[in-house]
Amino acid sequence: MHIDRCGLLHGARFIASPNCDERPEGSTIELLVIHNISLPPGEFGGPGIVELFTNRLDPGAHPYYHEIAGRKVSAHFLIRRDGELIQFVPCGRRAWHAGESNWRGRSRCNDFSIGIELEGTDAVPFENAQYERLAELARALARTYPGVASVGHADIAPGRKTDPGPCFDWDRYRELLKHP
Ligand SMILES: [Zn+2]
């Protein structure tokens, strides 16, 4: 698994999201932000996440979609329940995943982070395949962007966000990072 000069990860399926822009000049990538998402909430395997990130979500397809269909959001990566890895935004560009956020006194975390969505919820344990793919991805990112730290969305937007939630096993993730 490696990231090419265009910021694309070889080993991921690429589906371009229009919800991205240039990072501010001079910004470096210092942070991996781990999220969870499922659409409809609590349901896995459907097309909703890809549709949301590509502005193709049908607001009539589910009551919850009414609320979110107009949102312009994205993440760089999505890891599905079976470990499938999809990239939506090249790493060099800014994806729109963190929203209002703060890390060590710095706001607008989208400027200097990579957003990684795990298909899941706060209430359901993540799959082995997801931990393995996530660690593999994080190791590839760390080779390209040395020193990147990993945080949860809740860590940079406390009180507003809860993901990746209490089911995400940080110890296990950090062990996998150390021992491939
Ligand atoms: Zn999130």
Side-chain angles (χ1 to χ4, degrees):
M1 209 181 250
H2 84 278
I3 294 149
D4 70 16
R5 268 189 280 170
C6 299
L8 297 179
L9 183 88
H10 289 220
R13 180 151 73 99
F14 185 68
I15 302 174
S17 169
N19 304 331
C20 63
D21 56 8
E22 294 297 320
R23 296 181 187 273
E25 212 177 312
S27 50
T28 53
I29 293 166
E30 298 169 55
L31 201 58
L32 309 183
V33 180
I34 299 171
H35 303 256
N36 77 45
I37 187 171
S38 56
L39 290 174
E43 290 181 32
F44 304 145
I49 304 167
V50 171
E51 289 172 354
L52 178 67
F53 288 173
T54 54
N55 301 337
R56 290 185 290 114
L57 194 66
D58 173 6
H62 185 276
Y64 180 63
Y65 291 179
H66 260 292
E67 222 178 282
I68 60 161
R71 284 186 202 165
K72 298 275 191 290
V73 291
S74 62
H76 293 88
F77 296 101
L78 167 68
I79 300 172
R80 305 211 75 143
R81 301 297 291 183
D82 63 359
E84 187 196 6
L85 181 59
I86 302 173
Q87 182 170 12
F88 295 93
V89 174
C91 293
R93 290 179 64 78
R94 178 170 62 183
W96 302 343
H97 56 97
E100 197 184 326
S101 51
N102 192 290
W103 184 63
R104 298 182 178 167
R106 295 164 64 196
S107 58
R108 294 192 310 275
C109 295
N110 284 342
D111 291 358
F112 54 91
S113 70
I114 298 277
I116 304 170
E117 299 276 0
L118 301 175
E119 187 178 28
T121 75
D122 285 9
V124 180
F126 296 94
E127 300 285 352
N128 293 339
Q130 291 181 295
Y131 283 101
E132 274 156 31
R133 188 68 73 228
L134 173 63
E136 195 183 355
L137 171 61
R139 289 196 302 265
L141 290 167
R143 286 194 295 273
T144 308
Y145 309 109
V148 283
S150 295
V151 296
H153 197 187
D155 299 317
I156 58 166
R160 193 174 69 81
K161 293 290 175 180
T162 57
D163 60 315
C167 291
F168 185 74
D169 187 339
W170 284 99
D171 290 340
R172 180 173 177 188
Y173 169 60
R174 293 193 195 287
E175 270 308 302
L176 281 168
L177 282 186
K178 277 188 275 179
H179 308 290

